[in-house]
Each structure stands twice: as C-alpha cells, then as structure tokens.
Amino acid sequence: MDKCVVVITECEQGELTLASLECVEEGREIADRLDAKVQAILCGSALEPLAGTLAAHGADQVTLVEHEALAQFSADGWLQALAPVLLQADPVLLLAPDSGPIRAWLPRLAVRWRLPLVGCCMRIGIVGDGYPEVIRHTHGGACQERLIWPYATLICAMLTPGVRGVDAPRPGRTAKISVVHPALDPASFRDRTLRTLPADPRTVALNEAERIVSGGFGTGGPDGMALVKQLADHIGAALGGTRVAADRGWLAAERFIGSTGQIVAPKLYMAFGVSGAGQHLSGITGSETVIAINNDRTAPMLKRADLGIVGDLHQILPILLDKLQALTAVNVENHSESTAPTDASVAHRTLEMMP
Ligand SMILES: Cc1cc2nc3c(=O)[nH]c(=O)nc-3n(C[C@H](O)[C@H](O)[C@H](O)COP(=O)(O)OP(=O)(O)OC[C@H]3O[C@@H](n4cnc5c(N)ncnc54)[C@H](O)[C@@H]3O)c2cc1C
C-alpha cells in the first residue's frame, strides 16, 4: 500500500475553510518529500461539490465521510465517523487545522491511540530518514522549537491557520474520490450543534476576522486607540494592533498581531500609526488588501500597503468617521424599513466607495 499523509479538512457554510486548504498544501509538500500520497478527509453531509477543490490544492485521494447526522458538528459524531476511516488509511502523518472543532475531538482520538499530538504548528519539515519535524513558536514567540518523535509511527499535527497562506488552485488536477457512509448512532452523541451564531467582530478571534483595523504607537495613547476602535465598530471589523500598543495597555494582550502575537489573514487590514516592523508584518502576510495610514512616508508599513495614506491619523480618522456616518445616514434614509440593510452591509458598501 502507498504511504499516505492524511489531512483532515473542514467546511463552514458549504465552503472549505482556508485553514483546511493550507493543510492540504502543507501535506502535499511533505508527501512529495516522502514519496507519499495525500488523502484529504472531509466529514459532513452533501460534500461532493467540494472534492474538486481539495484535488486542485494537492489531494491525490479525497474521502468524503457522509451522514445526515453529520450536517452539524458534533465532537462525538466526528469521532465515531472518522476513527474507522483513519484506522484504515494508516497514515504516516496526520495533519489538521488547529481549529475549535478539531480540538474538540482529535485530542480524544490521540489519547485513545496513544499518539503524539501537537498544536500551534507553524511548519512541518522532514529530517533524517523521513521523520516529520514540527516547528512552532514558544515563549511568546521569542523562540522556536523543533520537535521530532523518532520512535513514533504516526504523529498528529495541528497547523495554526493563516501562517502558510493558500496558493492558487491547479484547476486541471484530479483526485480519486470515495464516499463513506458510516453507521452512526446519533442518539449516542453527547454534544450537538443547535445553531451557529454569526461572529461578533468585537470578540471574534483575530485569526478568523475578515476585517481588522489596527492601531500602533502612532495612535498616541488610549484616546487615539478609541478612535481606531470607533472605525472598527463602524465597519464591522475586529480591533487589532502592535505589540508596542499592547505592552502600553492600549490594547488587550491577545489582540496584538505579529510573529509573537496573532497571525491574521483578513480580507481587509487597515493600519493606523503602525511602522511596519518585520515582527508585525510577518503576522499579516496572508492579508488580502492592506491600507496604511502613517505620517512618515518612509514607514515600511506604507510599502506593504495596497493603499497608503501619508498624513496625521488624528486628522484623517475623524474625517473618515464623519464621512462614514454621513453615508450611513443617507443609506438608511434611502431604504424603506423592510429592505434596510444591516450596519455591517452599509459600512461594507461605503468602504467600497472610498477612493
Ligand atoms: C522578539 C520581538 C518580538 C516582537 N514581536 C512583535 C509582534 O509580534 N508584533 C508587533 O507588532 N511587534 C513586535 N515586536 C516589536 C516590533 O519590533 C516593533 O517595535 C513594533 O511592531 C512597533 O510598533 P508600532 O508600529 O506601534 O510603533 P512604532 O515603531 O513606534 O511606530 C509608530 C508609527 O506611527 C507613525 N505615527 C506616529 N504618529 C503618527 C500620526 N499622528 N499619524 C500617523 N502615523 C503616526 C510613525 O511614523 C511610526 O511609523 C517584537 C519585538 C521583538 C524584539
């Protein structure tokens, strides 16, 4: 039987998560070095349309584990459904996104099978005769540790989302697709997902935020940071910042971004008074569109930005907030109550209208 790297993937609202695609691509690289195949496993219901995407990102084989009881996440359900599939796959390495749902069931399987399990992984390498080497940050990011288990036949590694990024898919790539219908006993699931609430941008984990507005030392203190937060609230974005801002207490410690903080990959990243030090920039590499506001035209943050504005944020932010408020008011007036859009959608549109 061919050696295989198994990648557990996840979907949300009918779409594969970016973290899953990152894992498939990481698995592809490792498999190439081990002369192995990549088997992507996806659990849920009505999954067939997603198989092509997994192939396009590097899977050789896609196993869809389907059951109507798996339409909503249940740690017990995932464990019951996936354990036999994994046993049969007999992988040399098991990769999965370091996500909440995976953390709810994979550690239980690792304990049951006495497997090494490691979270917060940045990269996986191969050393010696083909041992997987896990690289991850420790001591608040000041150090890196490299972990090898020379006597383990299999290790489970959970990759931090947003670190690797996702390459363009290769549309012509195909994979062998198989569908497994496990015999499950839903009555025995001790946990069930009743409903999924939309993420609140004020509290969402930064690595899952679609929009982030960040403040740095240039905000000048809590008052400046409060203005940045006002903008974040207005456009439905999460508040982030630099380590310097967090160290000074202007921002919660878990909200600073960078190599020693959060690694983020939003669609929109706005930076106010952030110089763009290497340690900060390495936390935003996966961001799609970056807008930077800085009064120093030589700031590295402006070089990284798709749109750079040279100026004083204390002048620019109030004008921006006024304009957004005025546009929101116009939009609200123009729409009847029944068709009134949410604050977030208004903000989204107004943002698109910005030059
Ligand atoms: C081991 C180690 C790990 C680190 N890890 C991280 C990390 O994970 N994340 C991180 O962020 N940092 C990290 N740092 C710190 C990092 O090196 C920088 O010092 C930090 O990112 C700088 O923060 P800043 O941009 O807020 O401040 P500054 O570098 O002081 O920059 C402030 C910027 O604001 C601009 N500015 C000032 N006034 C205004 C104004 N009125 N309007 C517009 N712009 C203005 C200035 O021109 C300047 O560019 C780490 C450092 C070390 C040594």
Side-chain angles (χ1 to χ4, degrees):
M1 202 165 83
D2 287 331
K3 276 196 284 189
C4 89
V5 171
V6 161
V7 183
I8 306 286
T9 58
E10 299 176 294
C11 60
E12 273 171 17
Q13 291 162 0
E15 277 186 41
L16 287 157
T17 62
L18 288 181
S20 297
L21 300 180
E22 287 180 304
C23 284
V24 174
E25 290 184 1
E26 186 78 9
R28 177 73 269 154
E29 253 176 47
I30 300 163
D32 285 345
R33 296 190 59 190
L34 292 174
D35 199 15
K37 298 230 178 294
V38 176
Q39 179 179 359
I41 298 180
L42 184 59
C43 193
S45 71
L47 302 169
E48 203 126 3
L50 303 174
T53 310
L54 291 169
H57 284 272
D60 300 303
Q61 191 180 336
V62 176
T63 306
L64 305 172
V65 183
E66 296 199 346
H67 191 289
E68 59 183 20
L70 301 173
Q72 297 288 344
F73 177 74
S74 153
D76 276 346
W78 256 236
L79 202 54
Q80 275 186 32
L82 289 175
V85 179
L86 290 172
L87 201 60
Q88 200 186 6
D90 191 22
V92 290
L93 173 70
L94 198 154
L95 278 181
D98 198 340
S99 70
I102 296 281
R103 281 190 171 231
W105 68 268
L106 188 55
R108 288 165 58 191
L109 190 79
V111 168
R112 203 180 278 177
W113 290 355
R114 296 174 188 269
L115 296 175
L117 170 81
V118 57
C120 306
C121 304
M122 313 291 283
R123 278 198 323 276
I124 317 285
I126 296 293
V127 290
D129 288 341
Y131 297 116
E133 175 197 52
V134 170
I135 298 151
R136 63 177 195 165
H137 282 143
T138 61
H139 299 83
C143 306
Q144 273 191 353
E145 72 178 355
R146 311 168 93 84
L147 301 163
I148 303 168
W149 291 264
Y151 301 112
T153 47
L154 167 63
I155 68 160
C156 309
M158 298 188 293
L159 281 190
T160 302
V163 174
R164 184 192 160 87
V166 179
D167 294 334
R170 282 188 285 154
R173 234 186 148 274
T174 55
K176 188 176 154 211
I177 299 167
S178 52
V179 184
V180 175
H181 297 285
L184 297 179
D185 174 16
S188 68
F189 296 0
R190 289 164 301 171
D191 66 300
R192 281 189 191 83
T193 303
L194 297 181
R195 62 194 170 116
T196 308
L197 302 173
D200 181 343
R202 289 164 302 179
T203 52
V204 69
L206 278 180
N207 59 17
E208 290 174 18
E210 292 210 334
R211 297 173 211 162
I212 296 176
V213 179
S214 257
F217 186 61
T219 57
D223 291 347
M225 194 57 93
L227 277 181
V228 174
K229 184 171 180 321
Q230 238 176 291
L231 176 66
D233 289 345
H234 205 93
I235 64 168
L239 179 69
T242 63
R243 180 163 170 168
V244 170
D247 285 349
R248 295 195 172 234
W250 307 345
L251 180 77
E254 70 277 7
R255 297 247 133 203
F256 85 80
I257 293 162
S259 55
T260 54
Q262 302 289 330
I263 307 286
V264 299
K267 290 192 172 139
L268 173 69
Y269 185 77
M270 294 182 85
F272 287 85
V274 173
S275 60
Q279 293 94 346
H280 185 79
L281 293 183
S282 64
I284 63 162
T285 47
S287 306
E288 268 178 38
T289 302
V290 175
I291 301 177
I293 293 87
N294 200 300
N295 63 2
D296 173 7
R297 63 176 60 249
T298 66
M301 193 70 229
L302 290 172
K303 294 202 177 74
R304 166 66 181 85
D306 301 290
L307 172 65
I309 300 168
V310 179
D312 183 346
L313 68 89
H314 299 286
Q315 289 176 358
I316 293 168
L317 259 175
I319 296 170
L320 189 56
L321 284 167
D322 279 353
K323 293 241 181 251
L324 282 169
Q325 254 144 27
L327 281 165
T328 307
V330 169
N331 271 315
V332 169
E333 264 173 34
N334 287 347
H335 286 78
S336 69
E337 242 177 47
S338 61
T339 56
T342 61
D343 273 359
S345 65
V346 169
H348 187 64
R349 232 174 305 133
T350 52
L351 203 77
E352 285 169 355
M353 289 160 71
M354 285 165 62

